[in-house]
Amino acid sequence: NLALDNEARAILAGNDRGGYTVPTAGLYPYQWNWDSIFAAMGFAEHDRARAWAEIETLFSGQWPNGMVPHILFHKVDPSYFPGPDIWGGVGPLPSSGISQPPVAATFIRCLYEQDKALGAAHVRALIPRLTDWHRWFITWRGEGGAICVSHPWETGRDNAPDWDAPFAAIEPVGVEEYRRRDTTHVVEDERPRSYEYDRYLYLVKLGRESGWDEAHIKADSPFRVADPTMTFILLRANRDLLALAREFGAPTDEIEGWIAAIGAGAERLWNPEIGAYDCLDIRSGQHSGVISNASFLSWYGGLHDDRMLAHFERIRGLTRFGVPSADPGHPAYEPRRYWRGPVWAMMNWLIAMGLDEAGHGDLAEALRLNTGEMIATGGFAEYFDPRDGTPAGGRNFTWTAAVWLAWAS
Ligand code: DGY
């Protein structure tokens, strides 16, 4: 579809701020971590040098402790809250104080495979940076090999029902009065509630007051939840990093150890009560009991057992467009509200990659076609209503355009 291809390229160009891309003007006017990796894959389809530049700009914000922030505030823009002053990041660039799902190593490997001559020098420089970042996850977010988050924003799945129980245990005391900007760009019903925003800001405040001291956060934060997004994505990322390290003669022992540890730790996310992977609240010891689209990243993580297959087929059968971010059979499901139901194209890409590699090429292809049809129906929106593909959230969205170009078209 030439018209849509051109529109997708125009969206990437329009969101390009020179060396980095914003997810969408207004709602998200800075560089976001995993958004940028998907942007790079979109650029790669017509400009591979620009793809590498995107990634290098992201890593220029890496903190001395190895963390790669979830937002880099290259140029202050009052259309977004909370900005750099609220975060008080302590890295080389103004940034947030948390990270985001480490899809980078996997797509850096893809980019390299597309053009080894162009990619080699980039990969050589990025291997130690990726290794430092992955070590940061293992050190500060690891719990018996399962990977936790210290803030829902770290998973990208901001208001998933998985956080309902951990959030109910948090009293957001001492959060200064604030004014949300997101609801000036997007209707309220498609965004998180104030109840959640109070707690998001409370956790930011705790982190900032500690000077983003990870030892302190690990020991004291009321929010520490092991999550399938992080666990499966990091597991996968380490396999790809290992392949790159082997090819470039970089050290591999430590990475092999991480793969074994996370492979075992992933089983901590198995909830026998629902027979599925979900979140595990480390503070309470309770599983979340919700099947999310992240639950279906187990194949992407390289767990080639098919215990999630029946859930996948059931959930795919419930809505016209899949994969909904929360199980439509769960009482918390809200088909328009951000991560409580809507479909996210980049999650579908990851899920399909895993399905394909696990020998379910037919399901992967069906999901690709379904995603393509959804985008063709609803446009390049941030996310979509699973019932009919109604576009929701931000428009002219970078990662939806990129996923279209790289995969769904
Ligand atoms: C937001 O502001 O909604 C973002 O998801 C935070 O990363």
Side-chain angles (χ1 to χ4, degrees):
N1 188 324
L2 225 56
L4 283 176
D5 291 356
N6 286 335
E7 193 185 335
R9 285 188 204 111
I11 288 170
L12 290 184
N15 290 337
D16 188 349
R17 297 291 178 270
Y20 73 95
T21 311
V22 301
T24 186
L27 182 62
Y28 300 122
Y30 297 110
Q31 184 175 23
W32 259 260
N33 186 320
W34 64 333
D35 295 73
S36 257
I37 301 301
F38 289 109
M41 297 314 290
F43 282 122
E45 180 263 348
H46 55 282
D47 185 351
R48 223 163 264 132
R50 178 63 187 76
W52 286 111
E54 183 83 24
I55 294 172
E56 265 144 22
T57 307
L58 175 66
F59 277 86
S60 72
Q62 185 166 31
W63 286 19
N65 68 1
M67 197 270 280
V68 182
H70 103 293
I71 310 174
L72 297 179
F73 302 106
H74 295 289
K75 220 168 54 199
V76 172
D77 186 325
S79 75
Y80 182 78
F81 176 86
D85 48 327
I86 302 288
W87 280 100
V90 296
L93 300 176
S95 74
S96 68
I98 59 172
S99 199
Q100 240 179 357
V103 292
T106 297
F107 290 103
I108 285 171
R109 185 179 175 199
C110 289
L111 269 183
Y112 171 62
E113 303 279 347
Q114 289 178 7
D115 183 343
K116 289 197 172 186
L118 177 70
H122 297 287
V123 172
R124 198 178 298 283
L126 284 164
I127 287 173
R129 289 178 165 265
L130 288 165
T131 307
D132 288 349
W133 186 25
H134 292 191
R135 188 184 300 109
W136 176 88
F137 275 111
I138 299 283
T139 307
W140 300 119
R141 297 287 187 267
E143 286 286 346
I147 306 300
C148 302
V149 289
S150 65
H151 195 297
W153 284 343
E154 205 157 52
T155 61
R157 303 189 301 116
D158 298 8
N159 65 339
D162 296 285
W163 325 127
D164 290 0
F167 265 15
I170 293 176
E171 198 47 59
V173 286
V175 173
E176 278 169 41
E177 211 172 298
Y178 63 93
R179 191 164 62 84
R180 286 174 64 170
R181 305 287 197 286
D182 61 315
T183 43
T184 66
H185 305 291
V186 171
V187 294
E188 262 182 62
D189 293 353
E190 296 175 8
R191 293 289 303 173
R193 297 181 162 86
S194 316
Y195 169 87
E196 280 136 356
Y197 256 80
D198 291 347
R199 284 156 183 80
Y200 298 152
L201 290 165
Y202 177 71
L203 293 175
V204 170
K205 175 171 130 59
L206 291 187
R208 185 190 61 233
E209 284 172 358
S210 80
W212 300 105
D213 173 352
E214 291 295 344
H216 175 89
I217 292 166
K218 180 173 178 171
D220 282 359
S221 172
F223 191 89
R224 188 165 177 83
V225 183
D227 162 65
T229 332
M230 288 305 191
T231 303
F232 295 141
I233 287 176
L234 186 64
L235 179 55
R236 167 57 177 267
N238 278 318
R239 289 208 173 86
D240 292 307
L241 178 59
L242 179 65
L244 292 172
R246 283 202 178 116
E247 189 161 339
F248 283 79
T252 54
D253 289 2
E254 193 182 15
I255 305 169
E256 281 167 4
W258 296 338
I259 293 169
I262 304 170
E267 289 315 307
R268 297 195 67 192
L269 301 180
W270 185 259
N271 178 351
E273 259 171 54
I274 58 169
Y277 293 105
D278 65 5
C279 287
L280 175 64
D281 183 344
I282 299 299
R283 297 300 182 230
S284 71
Q286 299 297 308
H287 280 274
S288 60
V290 193
I291 300 175
S292 66
N293 48 356
S295 301
F296 297 115
L297 293 175
S298 55
W299 294 291
Y300 176 88
L303 306 182
H304 286 181
D305 71 62
D306 280 336
R307 290 185 297 174
M308 290 302 296
L309 202 56
H311 292 298
F312 181 81
E313 290 181 322
R314 172 181 63 82
I315 287 176
R316 266 309 290 117
L318 292 176
T319 58
R320 178 162 165 221
F321 295 107
V323 177
S325 44
D327 183 348
H330 192 281
Y333 173 69
E334 291 179 80
R336 286 276 170 94
R337 198 181 285 279
Y338 211 37
W339 285 89
R340 299 178 80 86
V343 177
W344 295 73
M346 85 300 177
M347 291 294 280
N348 283 1
W349 189 15
L350 304 182
I351 293 167
M353 278 171 74
L355 281 168
D356 197 34
E357 290 160 358
H360 303 299
D362 50 337
L363 295 178
E365 180 60 6
L367 185 56
R368 190 182 72 80
L369 292 172
N370 186 252
T371 307
E373 190 195 332
M374 179 180 75
I375 295 171
T377 309
F380 296 99
E382 185 181 5
Y383 44 92
F384 301 85
D385 186 324
R387 296 170 298 184
D388 57 5
T390 300
R395 300 302 143 93
N396 299 316
F397 217 84
T398 292
W399 66 17
T400 309
V403 169
W404 170 267
L405 292 170
W407 175 64
S409 67

